[in-house]
Amino acid sequence: MIAESGHYALVLALGLALIQSIVPIVGARWRDAALMNVARSTALAQLLFVAASFAALVTLHVTSDFSVANVFENSHSLKPLLYKITGVWGNHEGSMLLWVSILALFGGLVAAFGNNLPLSLRAHVLAVQAWVASAFYLFILITSNPFLRIANPPIEGRDLNPVLQDIGLAVHPPMLYLGYVGFSISFSFAVAALLEGRIDAAWARWVRPWTLMAWIFLTLGIAMGSYWAYYELGWGGWWFWDPVENASLMPWLAGTALLHSALVMEKRNALKVWTVLLSILTFSLSLLGTFLVRSGVLTSVHAFATDPTRGVFILLILFVFIGGSLSLYAWRAPALKQGGLFAPISREGALVLNNLLLTTACATVFIGTLYPLALEVLTGEKISVGAPFFNFTFAPLFVPLLVAVPFGPLLAWKRGDLLGAAQRLMVAGIVALVAMALVLAWTYGGATLAPLAIGLAAFVIMGALCDLAERIALFRIPLSLSLRRARGLPRATWGTAFAHAGLGVALIGIVCETTWNSEYIGSMKPDDVARVAGYQLRLDGLNPRQGPNFREMVAQFTVTRDGEKISVMTPSKRNFTTRGASTTEAALLTRGASQLYISLGDIATDGAIAVRIYHKPLVLMIWWGPVLMAFGGLLSLSDRRLRVGAPKPAKAAARALQAAE
């Protein structure tokens, strides 16, 4: 009954979505408040039914109900409880149900906290949201039903893909989907504005918190996915320019540009048409990522589906929503009034440069990702576009962007003083030059670009600190007054500083890991010693061990440095008998921001085991940077000027004059 109830709840959610997609639009045309308010009630009810459907699928996985095909294909009775739950979205059908659940969640949040929106705008936004939801409900029910029964239920399941049986799977997909799907709100606001033919600074104020929320989750989702690939796949890499990795990077780049463009629109009532276009393109790129994962056009650890029917269905969804929204934009955008003017040297100008570089970088990744697919479709020729292409095209675009980042917050609106901003960044420039000189002296005769990159990262970090120092008049007034000013700064100002500094932190990690990492690759027998970056790693022995649903061979390494014992590392090789597959569980030793990394290969006939040992200097800064950026976004989101909730009306207006007694 649980499976049937979950399926029925999903059908009811589809029915509510269809009502929500039509009735509010009619109400907006007729100026009927009652019909427009239908959007709010149906969005909340839709969230309730989708949540019930998702809870039903989780229950089926937890109880190991192998009469359901999805559970049989992706679970096992001996699998730990955590992986039974995370296995719900470790497959195509379950992940799509999670996708629409998050979509319904965002629609419900707009319905619950959007009382400050004009009634007509809220009706249009929720109606557009329902259009997207209806399409994906139909996709799930027609091609990807997670509640299908098996006529003759088996006793045991086939287990989940061993690579996905990891704690990272509990975090990475939900975070990523919250980002992907969160941009649907920005998309809905853009289409709603085009339908109404009205867009202004208030629209930007309403859309920016939702965009910021999605951006925070997408940032954390990409970072978690990168770290998961780093420690789980056993090759020690954190980014491979995999097409599906690129599919998550593209909406992040476009979303970052959208955040800055919406800021210009909110503050100066400029870049209106461009901001609407970015809102459409960001979610369109999210839909493109969904297509790449689900269509079967790619072979990747991310790819769930290979059914052509699913691919054609999603392609149709892409055509309808991307083509339809861009056609609406081409029709209605010329009628929208443009905003105010500003000088090239201004904060608006800096943000325009930011948008130009980010969208160009996004276009570069787009071409590099889709060109091989398009070429194969048109000519049958297969080519691969790998890291060299992206390194030589993507990276140079970020250099001027990072140089410009510290200047933006220090420039005035409308007309800025570039020389004055440069003078206020003098300390940041000096620190950058000192950092560059120190790294150059330390690595004399080695890499030449790395010291420049480290200097640039230092400039970005110190630039963020200089901005804060200028705002609180540090060293120009008594320290007590500066601290009082610091406490009074808007949270969005602190958020901007943290987010910008996070870019510099991540850059330091990237440069150090790629330039100065050390490795040992070879075969080792017990008592053999490997030497990496001043560390000695002795293989003490190999021991078999039985896990809940796997067997593993555990190697024990004693790590010493200058004759002093530091730690014991225990990498392992796991064999999942049900799937007949094996995984490598890397061992990590963290020292500061650097790590020692050991992964195992196969055991040879002579008893030697293949090992990969890496020393990765400051590698953790690669992920500290995005976490810092997300924290900055969270601070900005908590700013009272960006709260999503409805403001309380002033009570003074409600106080009528009382008659004299």
Side-chain angles (χ1 to χ4, degrees):
M1 279 299 292
I2 296 177
E4 286 73 24
S5 299
H7 182 258
Y8 186 55
L10 200 59
V11 173
L12 290 176
L14 171 62
L16 288 167
L18 292 173
I19 295 171
Q20 183 184 328
S21 64
I22 298 170
V23 174
I25 296 288
V26 175
R29 293 292 175 267
W30 292 354
R31 301 295 176 188
D32 189 320
L35 293 179
M36 286 190 282
N37 278 319
V38 168
R40 184 175 184 273
S41 55
T42 51
L44 293 173
Q46 187 191 143
L47 172 59
L48 179 64
F49 284 114
V50 175
S53 181
F54 188 78
L57 187 60
V58 172
T59 303
L60 292 169
H61 274 261
V62 170
T63 57
S64 298
D65 187 347
F66 299 122
S67 67
V68 177
N70 184 265
V71 181
F72 165 70
E73 292 287 342
N74 302 284
S75 192
H76 192 279
S77 60
L78 297 178
K79 192 167 64 172
L81 178 61
L82 175 63
Y83 300 146
K84 286 183 179 180
I85 297 172
T86 59
V88 172
W89 53 80
N91 58 88
H92 169 73
E93 293 84 1
S95 66
M96 287 307 305
L97 187 57
L98 176 65
W99 206 98
V100 294
S101 299
I102 294 173
L103 187 69
L105 173 63
F106 275 98
L109 289 174
V110 172
F113 299 103
N115 295 325
N116 58 335
L117 297 174
L119 189 56
S120 175
L121 179 62
R122 189 180 71 181
H124 278 104
V125 168
L126 290 176
V128 176
Q129 196 78 359
W131 297 348
V132 180
S134 299
F136 280 96
Y137 288 145
L138 283 171
F139 172 71
I140 293 174
L141 291 169
I142 294 174
T143 70
S144 310
N145 187 356
F147 300 105
L148 291 177
R149 290 281 193 182
I150 299 175
N152 298 309
I155 300 175
E156 192 54 86
R158 296 183 59 188
D159 209 354
L160 181 66
N161 184 345
V163 175
L164 303 180
Q165 295 189 38
D166 184 81
I167 188 64
L169 189 68
V171 181
H172 168 52
M175 284 284 186
L176 204 64
Y177 286 5
L178 283 165
Y180 269 160
V181 182
F183 285 123
S184 66
I185 299 295
S186 307
F187 173 83
S188 297
F189 267 97
V191 175
L194 292 172
L195 290 172
E196 289 197 325
R198 184 178 69 86
I199 187 170
D200 50 22
W203 179 91
R205 179 176 285 272
W206 290 320
V207 78
R208 202 154 70 89
W210 299 102
T211 304
L212 184 57
M213 190 187 304
W215 181 87
I216 292 169
F217 283 120
L218 187 57
T219 302
L220 292 174
I222 293 174
M224 184 65 237
S226 171
Y227 191 64
W228 171 79
Y230 165 73
Y231 73 78
E232 178 63 23
L233 299 184
W235 57 284
W238 51 272
W239 194 262
F240 193 62
W241 294 106
D242 180 278
V244 184
E245 292 175 342
N246 297 346
S248 65
L249 180 62
M250 287 187 284
W252 185 86
L253 292 168
T256 306
L258 174 60
L259 278 177
H260 293 83
S261 176
L263 179 63
V264 176
M265 184 176 169
E266 180 186 340
K267 299 293 185 182
R268 301 294 306 162
N269 204 27
L271 304 183
K272 291 181 180 180
V273 176
W274 173 244
T275 303
V276 171
L277 179 60
L278 272 180
S279 300
I280 293 172
L281 291 179
T282 302
F283 183 60
S284 298
L285 291 169
S286 297
L287 291 177
L288 177 65
T290 303
F291 169 74
L292 290 175
V293 176
R294 320 274 166 196
S295 62
V297 299
L298 297 175
T299 302
S300 165
V301 69
H302 301 89
F304 289 126
T306 57
D307 185 357
T309 306
R310 294 169 175 173
V312 171
F313 202 115
I314 296 180
L315 196 61
L316 183 62
I317 293 175
L318 286 182
F319 177 78
V320 170
F321 286 103
I322 298 177
S325 59
L326 290 178
S327 300
L328 179 63
Y329 174 82
W331 175 41
R332 301 284 287 187
L336 298 176
K337 293 183 178 179
Q338 296 291 335
L341 300 176
F342 52 87
I345 304 298
S346 61
R347 192 176 298 186
E348 295 98 322
L351 293 172
V352 168
L353 177 64
N354 159 287
N355 270 228
L356 178 64
L357 293 171
L358 283 173
T359 50
T360 305
C362 182
T364 299
V365 178
F366 180 87
I367 293 170
T369 303
L370 292 189
Y371 176 74
L373 300 178
L375 187 67
E376 184 177 355
V377 170
L378 295 174
T379 66
E381 183 181 354
K382 291 187 177 182
I383 65 168
S384 69
V385 176
F389 169 81
F390 293 104
N391 293 339
F392 281 108
T393 56
F394 181 85
L397 291 170
F398 257 68
V399 173
L401 177 65
L402 292 172
V403 171
V405 161
F407 285 90
L410 293 171
L411 292 172
W413 292 103
K414 198 170 182 180
R415 185 179 297 276
D417 181 5
L418 186 60
L419 181 60
Q423 289 173 341
R424 291 192 288 275
L425 288 171
M426 187 73 71
V427 173
I430 293 172
V431 171
L433 289 173
V434 171
M436 196 184 307
L438 289 174
V439 175
L440 191 62
W442 180 54
T443 61
Y444 183 75
T448 55
L449 293 180
L452 298 175
I454 296 292
L456 179 58
F459 180 66
V460 172
I461 296 171
M462 289 302 302
L465 297 177
C466 286
D467 177 42
L468 292 177
E470 282 293 319
R471 292 178 184 273
I472 65 175
L474 190 63
F475 305 128
R476 298 202 306 269
I477 60 176
L479 183 60
S480 59
L481 292 178
S482 292
L483 293 176
R484 192 179 303 171
R485 281 194 173 191
R487 287 193 295 270
L489 282 179
R491 291 181 183 178
T493 301
W494 287 100
T496 299
F498 276 107
H500 288 178
L503 280 172
V505 171
L507 180 59
I508 291 174
I510 292 170
V511 172
C512 291
E513 194 279 331
T514 54
T515 306
W516 296 299
N517 70 86
S518 306
E519 66 178 28
Y520 170 89
I521 300 175
S523 297
M524 297 180 67
K525 294 181 178 180
D527 296 327
D528 285 352
V529 178
R531 292 173 173 79
V532 178
Y535 294 92
Q536 295 81 43
L537 297 96
R538 188 185 72 245
L539 176 60
D540 298 326
L542 300 169
N543 302 297
R545 191 164 62 189
Q546 180 66 47
N549 59 333
F550 59 83
R551 291 183 177 184
E552 64 179 342
M553 183 64 68
V554 182
Q556 180 173 305
F557 288 83
T558 299
V559 182
T560 58
R561 188 180 180 96
D562 299 327
E564 181 184 352
K565 182 178 177 180
I566 295 175
S567 181
V568 174
M569 300 177 69
T570 54
S572 66
K573 190 84 171 179
R574 291 181 178 176
N575 182 39
F576 293 77
T577 53
T578 304
R579 285 261 178 175
S582 61
T583 63
T584 295
E585 299 298 314
L588 301 173
L589 175 61
T590 300
R591 291 177 63 82
S594 303
Q595 283 188 330
L596 271 176
Y597 182 112
I598 308 177
S599 65
L600 303 180
D602 296 325
I603 300 177
T605 54
D606 61 352
I609 188 169
V611 297
R612 291 174 176 261
I613 304 174
Y614 303 97
H615 178 256
K616 296 182 173 293
L618 303 185
V619 67
L620 290 181
M621 296 183 74
I622 296 174
W623 302 290
W624 290 352
V627 170
L628 198 61
M629 293 161 65
F631 178 69
L634 191 62
L635 283 178
S636 296
L637 190 63
S638 67
D639 194 308
R640 62 179 180 269
R641 299 173 299 174
L642 281 181
R643 284 178 185 162
V644 180
K648 295 182 179 178
K651 295 181 180 180
R655 295 194 192 102
L657 292 174
Q658 302 293 323
E661 295 182 355

